[in-house]
Structures are given as C-alpha cells and as structure tokens.
Amino acid sequence: MEERRRSRWRKLDNAAQAFPAATDKKDTRVFRFYCQLNEPVDGDMLQEALDKTVEKYPVFQAVLRKGLFWFYLEHQDIRAIAAQETKKPCSRIYVPDAKRLLFEVTYYKNRINLEVFHALSDGTGAIRFLRELVKNYLLAVHSAEDLEDIPLEDESETLADFEEDSFSQYYSEGRPKGDKPGPRAYQLHGPKLERSDMEITEMIMPVSQVLKKARSYGVSMTVFLTSIFLCAIHEEMTPRQQRRPVTLMVPVNLRNYFPSSSMTNFWGWLEAGYRFRGETPFEDVLSSMKQFFEKELVKERVASRMNDYIRLEKNPFLRAVPLEIKNVFLQAGTRLRSGNITAIFSNVGKIKMPDIYEPYIRRFGVFTSTDRMQMCACSYRDELVLGFSSKLVSTNIQRNFCRMLKEEGIDCEISENVFPEQKNPMIYPGRQAFQWFSFVAIALAVLCVALNLMIDPDFLWSPFACGGALCLWVCGAVGYVKRRNILKNLMWQLVIGTVFCILWDWVTGWRGWSVDFVFPIAVLAVLLTMFIVAKRRHLETPEYLIYFIMASVLGLIPAVLYAADIVQVIYPSIMCAVICFLSLMRLLIFRFHDMILELQKKFRM
C-alpha cells in the first residue's frame, strides 16, 4: 500500500492528450458503463463497495491539472461518493480549474452506473473498475450468504502496472510511418439536440445468433456489425451525398497486440470507410470490410499507426510549445480530423464475472457522449447490448439498423431507457451577474461616447472612459472564467492589471506611476492575499506552491527596473523585492523538495 500512496502525479498518456482541449458543452468526452442487477441497489452498500474499490485502484483517485507544456494527473485524497442518479447521462465531469475526481458512480433502481472522463481511462480500465465495484457490492449486500470473494484480476499487479504509459513503452522510432488521413467523409444531416442532450437507444440481442450469422458470412462479429452500421447510414443518404464515403472510426484495444496491465488509455483506431454507389448489396460491404480489417488488424500495421500517434508528442519543437497554444492546435486538429469521420463504432467485447455472482446480475451496457453518432457494443453471457448515442433528433438510422438485424434472422429488441426524470438544471447565479456586468460596461461606454459628442465634441475624453470600461470588463471576465481557482485568478489579475496600468501610463504621457507604485504594491497585495487564502482554506502544498513561486519571481522585477533606472520612487520597489526574495528563500529552505517536484510537474516537456 505504501507504493500506491507515494505515487502523487503522472503525465497524461498519448491518447488522452486531446480530451481536455476538445471537451465542450456539446461533447463532454464522458462514457458510461452500467451493470443492471436483478434487485434494487442499496446506496449505503454501494458507497461501502466504492470505498473498497478505490482503495484497490487508486489510479482513479486523480484530478486533472495544467502544467506549462502538458496536462497531468495528480493524486488527491478526495472521497468518491456514490449518489443516486439525478443528472443527464454522460454529463460534464471535467471542469477546468475545479479540484474534482474524473469519474462518478451513481445508481438508479437496479442499475449501478460508472461514468468516466476519457482522459482518465479507457473502456478496458473502466470495465476492470466496474467489475470490482459490482463484486464488492454483491459481497456487502449478500454477506449473510457467504459469497466467496473471488479475485477478478492478477492480485500481484501494482500501482505502477496500473499507471504504466504503454504508449511510451512500446514506441519505436524505427518503424515506418502509417497511412495518410482518408478523404473527407459524409456527415450526418438533420436537426440536432442542443448542448449535452443526446438521443440514447439500446438494442439487446442474443450473442449466439449474431455470431452464427457472422460466421455464416465468414466474418467476425465486429466486421458484421460494422457493415450493418454502414448500410443503416447509407439508407438515409441522397444520391448526391453518396459522392463521399461513409466512414466509421473503430477504436482498437492495443492490449490485444502489446501486453499491458495499464488502466490508463491504451488504444488506437481504424477508419473503416465504404463509398456507396446506388443500391449496393450487403455482401459487397461485408467483403470490403473483411478485407480491410484483415489488412489493418495485424501487429505491424497497428504498431505503425501507434508510432504515428506518439511521434508528434515526442517532437522536441512541439514539446516546447506552451500548453495554451497547444490547446488551440489540438482543438483545430480535432475539428479537422472529425471531417474524416461519419460516426463511431466501439466494440468493448465480452464482460465476464465468476459464475457465483451471475444469479445477481442481469446485464452490462455501455454508451458515450458524442457530437455526432456513436454505437458501443458489449456482451455478458449470451446477451449483446448495443448502445446508440446520437445528437440527431431523428432515430431513422437506429431504426434501419434494428430492421436489418431482424431481416438477418436476429431477434433484436429495443430496450426502454432507464433514466430518472430530469429536473430543470440550476443556473449558476454568477453567470447572470456577469451578463449584467458586461451589459452595464457596454452601456457606460456607449453613454460616454454619446455625451462626449453632444456636450463637447472638440475635447475627446470618451476614448479614455471606454478604455477604463474595457479594463474593468477584461478583469471581470478573467475573474469569472477563473473563479474556481482563486490563486490562479489572483495571478491573472496581477498580470492583466499591471499590463493595463503600464499601457494607460504610456498612452497618457509616461509618468512612471505604473512601475513606481502600482506594480510593486500589487505584487505585495497578491502575495499577502494568497497567504491568507491558503491558510483559511487549508490548502495542500501542491495547490498553492507554484503560485507563491510565480508571485515571488514577479516581485523581483521591480529591483531589475530600479537597476535599469526605470523606477524613480525606490521605496515600494525595494520593499517588494526584499519581501519576495525572502519569500523565495523561505520556500527553498523549508519547501525545497516540494518546490522541485512542483516545478517538475509544471515544466515537464
């Protein structure tokens, strides 16, 4: 257990780098696995089981933090709470600057839900966590029945195994580059749901029937379902739209090719596309997909694509680009890449539980947030569950899919969604206050311009008033956006406020008041405020240390300005430099190891 407690932070794996940047209100990048039991869920027992599961898999007990060049995950002793489900499925979990875990466990009627922000783990890691959670829950609820505690995984595995960055472990520079991105794909059309709303459809069918039909065609279940999905989409296309291929992104579990016990992300993907020409026989699509998967799902091809993913991350120039700039390009790259994809199909495979627990379990299921359409598949015993999530109001594609399965002789049943009634979400009161603040700032600027033109148009004082209003609005906007992290907010206010004051001083005829008084006094005020906030909120060392270092370093600048003969009034600058220098010395002497560790996290390239 000591080894687990010593691991405090880790870098994001390659597949997770884009998720924080690409997360928005339309796609939360959250996926859900659930286990439906044959009995109602007891919330207290589920909490007990969750505590036990997190103790075994502390890799999940992490928050997402920003460094200067990359995101990273940091262990936090925050207790995961099992709560009754009240929010929409796959609601937002990751909130920038908020210190919160990246997974949630909820329950509703007979279902235990595990929702995970994709930067934390992939489907394999989530299934492992959920299976352990369900086992612990059954042991707690049915303790009187003396259920045997059967290990589900290799008990000798350590936290280092769970946190292993398998991408870096198996990266090889010598491998050839993979294929270039495919052509722009057909995009789904029609009215779409707003924000994070999704149309969720679940289909249930016997695994044996699907396997039998797939084998009769000489293909795997994945190839069979991929072909059905392509044809279901094709039926909604016009002849003009058939100029572009229908392309499915198909995630590939890299653990099938490279041994790994990692519970972080370790997956790649294929782009399985087909260009339809009018009425296309289903067998033609099957044949094309069979050839495609046979060609691509070999270790050499999988390794080549994996190396392409990592090559950019290893590029020395890109590593040195600050994170905020990287995020812009990651967002642009994600949008550009999405043009090559029509929809997504993820087959997470078979979920197994020991026979002794099977009488208590009805089924497992999975679906995910999406900004388009995604189908996820998993099976338990002889039941295959397909979870469709879609932004489209229309469910024609799902209807086509179900009909085609029935035409193939497969008993397909559409399951009724089991979600609680959604209440109207509470509106954050600060948002409305900021909206009024913005309106008042604009109104004041317009009023000043109008008064200036009406009263004395020869003396233009209104631009200065508008500049003042702009300064206040920018500071207010930054304060609103960074409201979840007070110390970060203070640093932003210090930098922005100082820059505005220096510009104001320069525009109005340089008198030096911005560097003589404003800058040094502002640094000391921020440093004092940080000290008070850290004490009153009982912040842990990693939560405040980097901001104290930044403020103290900035506080040395007035001494440099004095040495350069820019500062005319020396007392505020000298006082600021002395206090900030002593603050840095205090950190170096009493918090040296913490300081080095924090700098390593923030400046890791």
Side-chain angles (χ1 to χ4, degrees), residues 240-346:
R240 181 181 179 85
Q241 292 168 343
Q242 293 181 23
R243 294 181 302 174
R244 297 194 182 278
V246 180
T247 304
L248 298 183
M249 175 182 171
V250 182
V252 177
N253 186 358
L254 296 178
R255 298 171 184 83
N256 295 332
Y257 303 89
F258 306 96
S260 173
S261 299
S262 175
M263 292 182 68
T264 63
N265 287 276
F266 190 42
W267 58 278
W269 70 86
L270 303 176
E271 293 180 5
Y274 189 87
R275 193 181 297 272
F276 290 88
R277 303 291 186 187
E279 295 294 328
T280 304
F282 178 59
E283 289 77 7
D284 291 356
V285 182
L286 269 175
S287 177
S288 175
M289 288 300 101
K290 179 182 179 181
Q291 294 176 21
F292 174 80
F293 279 88
E294 287 177 348
K295 175 187 174 184
E296 297 297 331
L297 290 182
V298 293
K299 187 172 182 179
E300 291 74 17
R301 297 283 293 172
V302 171
S304 177
R305 286 191 299 272
M306 182 183 72
N307 288 325
D308 282 347
Y309 309 152
I310 309 173
R311 191 170 284 110
L312 284 175
E313 182 187 345
K314 299 289 186 181
N315 184 291
F317 174 76
L318 293 179
R319 287 164 66 92
V321 175
L323 179 60
E324 295 299 332
I325 298 176
K326 278 193 183 86
N327 282 344
V328 174
F329 287 97
L330 284 171
Q331 292 167 359
T334 300
R335 286 193 294 268
L336 184 63
R337 190 78 181 183
S338 66
N340 299 332
I341 303 298
T342 305
I344 303 172
F345 169 40
S346 178

Side-chain angles (χ1 to χ4, degrees), residues 177-193:
K177 293 186 177 182
D179 297 331
K180 295 181 180 179
R184 184 169 178 81
Y186 165 71
Q187 302 297 303
L188 300 175
H189 295 278
K192 294 186 177 181
L193 299 170

Side-chain angles (χ1 to χ4, degrees), residues 110-127:
N110 293 22
R111 283 193 178 187
I112 297 175
N113 307 310
L114 171 65
E115 294 192 343
V116 180
F117 179 56
H118 218 323
L120 177 65
S121 182
D122 60 11
T124 301
I127 290 172

Side-chain angles (χ1 to χ4, degrees), residues 545-590:
L545 191 58
I546 191 65
Y547 301 109
F548 271 86
I549 295 172
M550 292 168 64
S552 298
V553 171
L554 284 178
L556 300 178
I557 294 178
V560 177
L561 297 178
Y562 169 68
D565 202 26
I566 297 175
V567 169
Q568 302 302 317
V569 181
I570 66 171
Y571 299 108
S573 296
I574 296 301
M575 185 181 300
C576 175
V578 168
I579 292 175
C580 289
F581 178 77
L582 292 177
S583 176
L584 272 178
M585 290 301 100
R586 176 178 173 273
L587 294 177
L588 281 170
I589 294 171
F590 295 101

Side-chain angles (χ1 to χ4, degrees), residues 363-417:
R363 70 168 60 98
F364 285 88
V366 58
F367 52 84
T368 182
S369 69
T370 182
D371 60 352
R372 53 189 66 225
M373 175 175 284
Q374 180 157 346
M375 179 179 73
C376 298
C378 72
S379 64
Y380 176 67
R381 292 186 289 191
D382 190 40
E383 195 168 70
L384 176 65
V385 178
L386 302 180
F388 287 84
S389 51
S390 173
K391 278 292 184 184
L392 297 177
V393 175
S394 170
T395 58
N396 287 357
I397 294 175
Q398 296 92 313
R399 176 204 62 194
N400 299 342
F401 194 100
C402 185
R403 190 202 74 245
M404 294 178 68
L405 287 176
K406 290 180 178 179
E407 290 173 352
E408 294 292 334
I410 297 171
D411 298 326
C412 178
E413 170 193 351
I414 295 182
S415 175
E416 180 183 356
N417 289 334

Side-chain angles (χ1 to χ4, degrees), residues 185-249:
Y186 165 71
Q187 302 297 303
L188 300 175
H189 295 278
K192 294 186 177 181
L193 299 170
E194 296 295 326
R195 294 183 177 271
S196 60
D197 291 346
M198 295 186 300
E199 179 66 39
I200 297 174
T201 305
E202 288 189 297
M203 298 180 191
I204 301 171
M205 63 207 71
V207 174
S208 55
Q209 290 185 9
V210 179
L211 276 175
K212 182 179 179 181
K213 177 56 66 173
R215 287 168 180 166
S216 71
Y217 284 116
V219 299
S220 67
M221 181 188 292
T222 297
V223 170
F224 177 72
L225 294 175
T226 299
S227 302
I228 293 279
F229 200 6
L230 289 169
C231 292
I233 295 173
H234 169 241
E235 289 192 6
E236 299 303 308
M237 298 172 66
T238 65
R240 181 181 179 85
Q241 292 168 343
Q242 293 181 23
R243 294 181 302 174
R244 297 194 182 278
V246 180
T247 304
L248 298 183
M249 175 182 171

